[in-house]
Amino acid sequence: MIIQQTELQYLPPDLKRELLPKHVAVIMDGNGRWAKKRGLPRIRGHKAGVSNLKDLVRCCHDWGIEALTVYAFSTENWKRPRKEVNCLMALIRRFLRQELEEMLEKNIQIQFMGDLTELPPSLQQEISYSMKVTRNNTGIRFFIATNYGSRQEILHACQAIAQKVQQGLLQPEQISEELFTNHLYTAGLADPDLLIRTSGEMRLSNFLLWQMAYSEIYISDALWPDFNRVDFHRALSAYQQRERRFGKV
Ligand code: FPP
């Protein structure tokens, strides 16, 4: 069934509400290639990517997805040219300023995951403010992974747990999956049911490695700025056709 973008304001009728993924994670890949194809600087691709992200957040709100996590900036992304890094920081800051009102209106809770202490102070302030004012919102939980790296997150959790053991607050045998999970940035958030990566790339790129042990993976060939509601619908349809066994038969 081919559904047009204009028909997708509400949850498409062929999708079963009770089988929707509760938590969707997205690797928004292909901004640079999108710009290159148009003879534009890479930065223009990121701008188009942000504009597309706004629609995905609205779409999750319209269709009833409970949690959305997007990979905005990885710990490895500092190796990009200075100008591009600055642009990405500025885009996140601008997004928070411009979208906060709509987030409040739509009851969206904004959260960040990653080592925020290394971000520019003005961005850190904007992040703290947006998290504070949306803290009690009960609609979608929207997580923006910024200066995030999964291995680093796992190491931090190990260090925090080791310290508790050293201080005698915890016995090694008490270290369970649940306890470990509670030391990650995502403590209290259910694992992603579905990971979408755009631009045809098939890698996890150090994203939520512990949390995605059983996530379904959907790769879209669309470049991130072109990934629209039609593509999201395809991803959700594919997800609903999968049989999730979690290691059982
Ligand atoms: C990957 O595309 C994309 C990124 C590294 C950045 C994604 C970030 C945004 C869309 C902006 C985030 C902003 C907010 C508000 C959360 P690429 O540049 O690696 O593309 P390429 O592989 O085609 O070069």
Side-chain angles (χ1 to χ4, degrees):
M1 176 165 49
I2 297 175
I3 297 187
Q4 303 298 320
Q5 172 87 350
T6 46
E7 296 172 60
L8 292 174
Q9 193 182 351
Y10 303 107
L11 184 70
D14 61 308
L15 293 179
K16 296 191 188 69
R17 189 166 289 283
E18 66 281 9
L19 290 183
L20 281 179
K22 289 192 188 323
H23 180 184
V24 177
V26 184
I27 301 181
M28 309 179 284
D29 199 6
N31 294 344
R33 275 162 284 170
W34 183 92
K36 194 168 175 207
K37 258 174 56 181
R38 288 162 178 76
L40 297 169
R42 293 178 56 79
I43 287 172
R44 290 287 295 278
H46 294 314
K47 280 191 181 154
V50 174
S51 153
N52 197 41
L53 174 60
K54 290 180 194 171
D55 196 52
L56 181 70
V57 177
R58 285 192 194 111
C59 185
C60 287
H61 172 265
D62 295 343
W63 294 5
I65 302 288
E66 293 175 19
L68 172 70
T69 300
V70 297
Y71 207 1
F73 192 89
S74 74
T75 44
E76 290 73 30
N77 285 155
W78 295 109
K79 295 183 198 129
R80 292 189 174 209
R82 187 81 224 142
K83 208 171 145 200
E84 185 170 343
V85 169
N86 290 344
C87 162
L88 285 166
M89 297 295 152
L91 283 174
I92 299 172
R93 194 163 51 234
R94 194 178 314 157
F95 173 87
L96 293 177
R97 275 204 203 130
Q98 291 180 346
E99 301 309 308
L100 197 56
E101 204 177 310
E102 186 174 337
M103 300 281 161
L104 286 166
E105 191 190 302
K106 290 191 159 60
N107 197 19
I108 295 172
Q109 187 187 91
I110 302 177
Q111 294 195 39
F112 275 76
M113 58 173 83
D115 183 355
L116 307 179
T117 60
E118 288 175 6
L119 300 176
S122 57
L123 178 57
Q124 289 187 42
Q125 277 169 15
E126 210 75 51
I127 289 175
S128 312
Y129 183 69
S130 65
M131 291 205 299
K132 192 172 119 202
V133 293
T134 62
R135 192 176 43 203
N136 296 322
N137 286 356
T138 53
I140 307 175
R141 299 175 74 188
F142 176 38
F143 286 81
I144 305 176
T146 307
N147 193 23
Y148 175 86
S150 190
R151 288 184 173 180
Q152 186 204 56
E153 176 188 33
I154 289 169
L155 281 180
H156 279 161
C158 291
Q159 286 164 354
I161 293 169
Q163 259 171 12
K164 288 184 187 169
V165 172
Q166 196 178 37
Q167 290 162 359
L169 300 171
L170 200 64
Q171 295 303 311
E173 355 19 295
Q174 290 175 298
I175 304 171
S176 61
E177 286 192 13
E178 193 191 349
L179 181 127
F180 192 80
T181 299
N182 286 334
H183 285 78
L184 299 172
Y185 294 126
T186 47
L189 173 70
D191 290 342
D193 302 295
L194 172 65
L195 167 71
I196 298 174
R197 182 166 188 153
T198 56
S199 87
E201 303 292 342
M202 301 189 190
R203 288 186 293 280
L204 291 179
S205 298
N206 202 14
F207 191 38
L208 301 172
L209 301 180
W210 170 277
Q211 296 87 337
M212 294 208 290
Y214 286 102
S215 304
E216 295 294 327
I217 300 179
Y218 180 86
I219 306 293
S220 167
D221 284 331
L223 301 175
W224 171 250
D226 293 329
F227 182 89
N228 59 22
R229 289 187 182 216
V230 174
D231 299 299
F232 192 43
H233 171 246
R234 277 198 198 110
L236 296 178
S237 293
Y239 171 82
Q240 294 205 332
Q241 276 150 34
R242 306 235 183 125
E243 193 190 345
R244 301 190 74 197
R245 296 209 298 250
F246 298 96
K248 295 177 283 210
V249 288

